[in-house]
Amino acid sequence: MTDLSDLYEEIILDHNKNPRFFNKVPENANRQAEGDNPLCGDHYSIQLRVDDGIVQSAGFEGAGCAISKASASLMLERIVGKTETEAINLFHSIHEMLTNNEQVTSEPADLGKLEVLGGVRKYPMRVKCATLAWHVLSAALNDTENQVSTE
Ligand code: ZN
């Protein structure tokens, strides 16, 4: 069995160095939101093209630490091609994994590679870095508030 912390570092470093969907904003985007994590200085905007309830394409722009960037990259890699409902369910599962100190009770979505984001639970300061992109995604899909902050 692979040690999750080794895997965590490997995947985070890879996605920080070669972020997927970075600066590749869809020209025909119809959903967007941006968000800040003032504690760390992370700032990202995410744009999506959603048709028939499916995330057809996506991109993100901005700057921040390795964890925040890798989280955004992993997130978009996972949700493009999925339905809005699946994307929102993943957001809830990630949020629960990262903020719930007790044993997770509900059956979590199959997080797959996203499970490595759980590695930040050991570093409470970094949890907001890892969840920032997900909050921005949620805001973009809900189309209610288009500016979010982790504070
Ligand atoms: Zn950060």
Side-chain angles (χ1 to χ4, degrees):
M1 189 181 154
T2 318
D3 186 336
L4 191 61
S5 62
D6 289 347
L7 193 64
Y8 163 79
E9 274 186 26
E10 198 178 305
I11 291 178
I12 298 289
L13 291 177
D14 172 42
H15 277 261
N16 177 51
K17 210 169 148 197
N18 304 300
R20 281 55 148 182
F21 301 95
F22 187 55
N23 290 333
K24 292 192 177 112
V25 170
E27 279 173 27
N28 55 356
N30 55 3
R31 306 287 178 87
Q32 77 86 33
E34 55 187 300
D36 275 304
N37 175 20
L39 271 182
C40 179
D42 311 317
H43 178 96
Y44 292 99
S45 67
I46 292 176
Q47 303 201 35
L48 308 168
R49 173 71 194 190
V50 179
D51 281 316
D52 300 326
I54 294 169
V55 181
Q56 305 284 357
S57 53
F60 76 105
E61 296 176 303
C65 66
I67 290 170
S68 63
K69 185 178 275 184
S71 181
S73 171
L74 282 161
M75 177 184 80
L76 294 184
E77 180 181 67
R78 177 65 185 265
I79 65 145
V80 169
K82 300 288 192 298
T83 66
E84 289 182 79
T85 310
E86 285 173 298
I88 291 293
N89 285 343
L90 274 172
F91 163 68
H92 289 304
S93 293
I94 293 284
H95 199 256
E96 186 166 3
M97 171 176 77
L98 291 175
T99 58
N100 193 339
N101 294 321
E102 291 158 37
Q103 205 74 29
V104 175
T105 46
S106 62
E107 191 63 41
D110 178 16
L111 295 176
K113 205 198 288 181
L114 295 172
E115 261 183 50
V116 297
L117 293 175
V120 302
R121 274 178 303 193
K122 283 184 286 185
Y123 316 100
M125 290 288 289
R126 314 317 296 270
V127 167
K128 286 177 176 174
C129 300
T131 54
L132 175 63
W134 294 87
H135 284 288
V136 177
L137 172 74
S138 169
L141 289 176
N142 286 321
D143 223 4
T144 44
E145 44 171 350
N146 295 110
Q147 185 96 39
V148 296
S149 173
T150 55
E151 290 308 290

